[in-house]
Amino acid sequence: MVRPVFRAALAAFLAAALTGVAPSPVAAQAPPTPAPLTAYGALPSLELVQVSPSGRRLAFVTVSGEQRVLVLLDLETRAQIGGVDVGQAKVRDLEWIGEERVLITTSKTETVPQLGLFNAELFSGQIYDPGANRIVAMLANSRGLFPALFSTPDVIDAAGGSQVLVRAFSFENPERTDLFSIDLATGRARLAEVMGVAVTDYILGADGESIARSEYEPRSQTWSLYLRQGGSFRKTWDTTAPIDQPNLMGLGLSGDSVVLAAERPDLSQPGREDAEFFDVNLASGDWRAVRFDFNPQALVFHPATHRLMGATRLDDDGRRYAFADPQARQLWETAARAFAGRSPELVSWSDDLKKAVVFTSGPRDSGSYHLLDLDAARVTPAGGAYAAITPDQVAPVRSITYAAGDGLQIHGFLTLPPGREDARGLPLVVLAHGGPASRDIVGFDWWGQALASRGYAVLQANFRGSTGYGDAFMEAGYGEWGRKMQTDLSDGVRYLAEQDLIDPQRVCIVGASYGGYAALAGVTVQQDIYRCAVSVAGISDLRRMVEEEASDGARRENVTVRYWNRFMGADRLGDRSLDEFSPVKLAEQAGAPILLLHGRDDSVVPIDQSRIMANALRRAGKPVEFVELEGEDHWLSRGDTRQRMLTETVDFLQANNPAD
């Protein structure tokens, strides 16, 4: 049911907006009373804060328990202009459609046998119109269409008004997913463009018509670029890409080109590092490198024109931006000055780039949203993600660097219990990130902060194979599952012990996804380092995991299989050498108690990976606890199960490696 709603987070926002006063800093003092675990395990109370194109309105989601509420505000009058209960739907994104509507993207784990989808995360879209007090489902009542999004929706603001385009599956043409235009009032779809069977991605022009497409042919492993020239598409470039395929990014700076992420060693320039992004002219097909003052990890596009305007990367001390657009550059420089030392991030901005939503976290900041107004020269607090955690309860985080066994420099973060920054000989939790092609970042991490609040030092190491430190560093992780990726973590334990910061006899290892594997490997592949291990959605049988990925694809030797084999170190599908580093095969030598937690709706790592590990440990007579999280996915998207995971983890740590 659609109805206006108010929640505590909304009231807090209005109070902050009325005063315009930021929270006062808290002086250093004795160790504070820790916040309850529920404060850390709860879903963020405020998220997805988006300013409208004009900068006069704000949309955001507040969360209370499992209930999510979309709220719309008029920033000039500070009045609520809309609100709708979203319920327990997992909201993944918000985007304004002009000034009058908001696009809500949600997801749900479902099984659709007729489409060959089993325990898959399916996305859907809803359009909320506060003026009509109505919400409509995209693709609803559209004959022959399956009501799920098969691409990220594109919002195009053209002369004729706003439109939303998205790919969808048609039962009449099941071999392809075409592009459809959505009626904003009814959610019904009409065919906008036919997409070829092999089309993997596309870029839309200012009028909503695709101007570039990519195709991938699995058998030949060929990725091809097609540009619209003379009213039709012409292939202008192709490359063999068994694993790392190029990516279409968006429109170029002037709108007459498109930007790609690709490997082009043939375009290398002597004395310069190879570019990762390229601008391709639509008319000529000519390529030129796109470069900034640093090597970017992502590109930034203008909210109105959708043209390239800058780039960003995440370093150990926070996020960096570089802008070709002078207005965007001023916006960022103002934000960087206003929030120095708090890792500011530009979340959303108005079309004229005069107003922006900025997110910060860091020392004494558990995650805060702010409104930045350049014309008014004003910063207004907009609310906190974890408002129940007070500034004095935020644990300090420091960047560290240490040498791995082979000399490779490993970067990471050490979180210390609040008020105990000078303590020595602390108990340690190694918290391994997932991916593994991912990374931990500076700022407030709810999981690491929760563990630190209970008296543990927390090490989050960006082991080899992590992103953010260049291609060579990530490639150093290829073939190193259970090997150097694993010892990079234990080398961090050794380093902290040498600094007398932690007690090497009081260390446990915890992680989710790949980090869950690392936790299991820490007490099976490795020995005598950790007193206990907690694996959340971890992989226990490497060969079985890859075999299941092979069975899900049209071709057994598919891109996903090749990706996992590269990281795991397998020469081929079914390579039995993976058993040497599979914890389930090494259950007999598990040297410490293990806690397994896994969501039953996990569509990334099947829950069977934890079930077979639990059975193997029980057969071997090893101490194990296993908790199945009802209704939970791979990302701990539900508040109740996330809190249960955190409570079970802390209880297990305190039983096997007490902090006091």
Side-chain angles (χ1 to χ4, degrees):
M1 181 176 66
V2 179
R3 57 186 175 84
V5 288
F6 284 92
R7 292 292 167 94
L10 175 59
F13 172 87
L14 291 173
L18 287 169
T19 61
V21 178
S24 300
V26 178
Q29 55 186 6
T33 301
L37 281 181
T38 53
Y40 299 92
L43 296 172
S45 56
L46 182 65
E47 60 184 2
L48 299 173
V49 184
Q50 296 290 307
V51 68
S52 70
S54 70
R56 295 192 297 268
R57 295 180 170 186
L58 199 70
F60 56 88
V61 172
T62 67
V63 183
S64 178
E66 291 301 311
Q67 299 299 311
R68 290 173 168 91
V69 178
L70 169 65
V71 177
L72 274 59
L73 294 180
D74 185 305
L75 293 175
E76 295 179 346
T77 65
R78 301 184 178 92
Q80 183 183 7
I81 58 173
V84 57
D85 280 316
V86 184
Q88 297 188 22
K90 295 180 285 190
V91 183
R92 303 303 190 185
D93 194 23
L94 292 182
E95 186 172 4
W96 283 91
I97 307 173
E99 286 290 306
E100 305 303 325
R101 296 178 174 91
V102 175
L103 169 60
I104 312 165
T105 301
T106 61
S107 76
K108 185 178 181 181
T109 310
E110 296 193 56
T111 293
V112 188
Q114 59 267 43
L115 296 183
L117 299 174
F118 298 91
N119 207 38
E121 198 73 9
L122 296 182
F123 289 77
S124 60
Q126 299 83 36
I127 297 173
Y128 174 53
D129 182 346
N133 197 32
R134 180 175 57 190
I135 189 167
V136 297
M138 288 172 55
L139 305 174
N141 302 316
S142 298
R143 182 179 177 182
L145 294 184
F146 182 69
L149 311 182
F150 278 71
S151 70
T152 301
D154 285 291
V155 177
I156 302 295
D157 293 311
S162 300
Q163 61 175 322
V164 175
L165 297 111
V166 69
R167 294 181 80 173
F169 177 85
S170 169
F171 292 100
E172 296 177 357
N173 298 290
E175 74 282 357
R176 64 176 194 255
T177 52
D178 293 326
L179 188 67
F180 291 84
S181 177
I182 306 299
D183 186 306
L184 302 183
T186 66
R188 294 191 185 95
R190 64 171 179 81
L191 181 64
E193 285 188 41
V194 173
M195 294 285 182
V197 175
V199 172
T200 54
D201 202 1
Y202 54 90
I203 294 175
L204 301 182
D207 59 357
E209 184 179 54
S210 67
I211 56 175
R213 294 178 180 178
S214 63
E215 293 189 359
Y216 187 72
E217 209 293 307
R219 186 175 298 277
S220 64
Q221 303 174 10
T222 301
W223 188 95
S224 302
L225 171 66
Y226 289 81
L227 301 178
R228 188 182 290 274
Q229 297 176 338
S232 61
F233 281 95
R234 184 172 69 88
K235 184 165 74 170
T236 61
W237 181 71
D238 61 35
T239 185
T240 301
I243 302 177
D244 300 313
Q245 299 176 22
N247 287 308
L248 296 177
M249 305 300 294
L251 292 172
L253 284 168
S254 301
D256 59 356
S257 61
V258 292
V259 181
L260 276 69
E263 294 183 6
R264 289 297 305 266
D266 55 311
L267 298 181
S268 297
Q269 299 178 12
R272 301 197 70 174
E273 188 171 351
D274 287 352
E276 296 184 16
F277 298 100
F278 296 88
D279 182 278
V280 183
N281 185 273
L282 289 168
S284 66
D286 292 339
W287 290 55
R288 66 179 180 86
V290 177
R291 297 185 184 275
F292 296 88
D293 293 337
F294 52 79
N295 290 329
Q297 296 166 346
L299 302 180
V300 184
F301 294 87
H302 195 284
T305 66
H306 304 291
R307 297 177 182 178
L308 177 67
M309 69 174 185
T312 182
R313 70 171 289 113
L314 192 61
D315 293 330
D316 286 349
D317 56 354
R319 186 169 291 280
R320 299 172 62 190
Y321 290 89
F323 288 105
D325 186 296
Q327 183 65 46
R329 189 181 310 121
Q330 181 187 1
L331 185 70
W332 166 241
E333 290 173 350
T334 303
R337 288 193 302 268
F339 302 106
R342 297 175 66 183
S343 303
E345 178 180 355
L346 298 174
V347 174
S348 171
W349 39 66
S350 59
D351 282 359
D352 62 5
L353 305 178
K354 297 290 186 67
K355 297 181 177 68
V357 176
V358 181
F359 180 77
T360 64
S361 73
R364 301 192 179 280
D365 185 351
S366 59
S368 305
Y369 291 93
H370 316 264
L371 291 174
L372 175 61
D373 188 330
L374 290 184
D375 285 340
R378 181 176 63 221
V379 173
T380 305
Y386 292 92
I389 300 172
T390 59
D392 63 314
Q393 292 171 331
V394 178
V397 181
R398 66 175 69 165
S399 297
I400 63 170
T401 303
Y402 59 89
D406 61 357
L408 184 66
Q409 293 295 297
I410 306 298
H411 299 259
F413 303 98
L414 180 66
T415 304
L416 298 173
R420 302 186 63 188
E421 291 86 343
D422 299 324
R424 298 288 175 176
L426 289 166
L428 175 69
V429 173
V430 174
L431 183 58
H433 68 66
S438 179
R439 63 166 294 173
D440 281 310
I441 62 175
V442 67
F444 184 88
D445 178 286
W446 64 270
W447 199 354
Q449 288 282 329
L451 298 178
S453 75
R454 268 50 198 171
Y456 297 97
V458 180
L459 170 63
Q460 293 172 278
N462 288 321
F463 43 83
R464 70 191 69 205
S466 300
T467 57
Y469 300 95
D471 290 342
F473 188 85
M474 186 174 71
E475 291 167 4
Y478 293 172
E480 296 297 340
W481 277 52
R483 302 170 180 88
K484 291 181 179 180
M485 287 168 67
Q486 194 68 35
T487 56
D488 284 349
L489 297 172
S490 50
D491 286 338
V493 175
R494 172 184 48 79
Y495 167 78
L496 295 176
E498 290 172 351
Q499 306 301 309
D500 197 30
L501 291 170
I502 61 104
D503 181 349
Q505 303 303 313
R506 303 169 66 200
V507 183
C508 285
I509 183 168
V510 176
S513 194
Y514 171 80
Y517 164 80
L520 295 176
V523 296
T524 55
V525 177
Q526 293 181 300
Q527 297 291 319
D528 303 323
I529 300 171
Y530 306 105
R531 294 180 64 172
C532 64
V534 179
S535 169
V536 181
I539 299 172
S540 66
D541 189 331
L542 304 188
R543 184 158 54 91
R544 177 171 175 161
M545 181 70 184
V546 178
E547 286 281 359
E548 289 178 348
E549 292 287 0
S551 65
D552 286 343
R555 294 178 56 82
R556 284 181 58 77
E557 190 66 29
N558 56 51
V559 172
T560 304
V561 168
R562 291 192 288 271
Y563 172 86
W564 286 121
N565 279 342
R566 180 172 69 180
F567 256 113
M568 292 178 181
D571 292 329
R572 63 190 181 282
L573 186 61
D575 189 340
R576 291 189 175 275
S577 69
L578 294 180
D579 293 351
E580 299 175 27
F581 301 95
S582 292
V584 74
K585 306 294 185 182
L586 307 173
E588 292 277 356
Q589 61 190 52
I594 294 173
L595 170 63
L596 302 163
L597 300 108
H598 213 127
R600 290 182 180 172
D601 289 350
D602 195 324
S603 58
V604 178
V605 177
I607 192 173
D608 281 350
Q609 288 283 332
S610 287
R611 288 173 176 164
I612 60 175
M613 187 68 199
N615 291 336
L617 290 167
R618 290 171 184 143
R619 287 194 301 269
K622 302 295 183 177
V624 60
E625 299 178 28
F626 180 31
V627 177
E628 297 192 11
L629 302 174
E630 181 70 33
E632 186 53 89
D633 57 24
H634 188 69
W635 306 279
L636 295 171
S637 300
R638 292 179 44 130
D640 57 349
T641 46
R642 195 164 96 164
Q643 291 192 32
R644 185 179 180 192
M645 181 282 295
L646 193 56
T647 299
E648 296 278 1
T649 296
V650 170
D651 288 348
F652 188 78
L653 291 172
Q654 291 176 340
N656 293 281
N657 189 32
D660 46 25

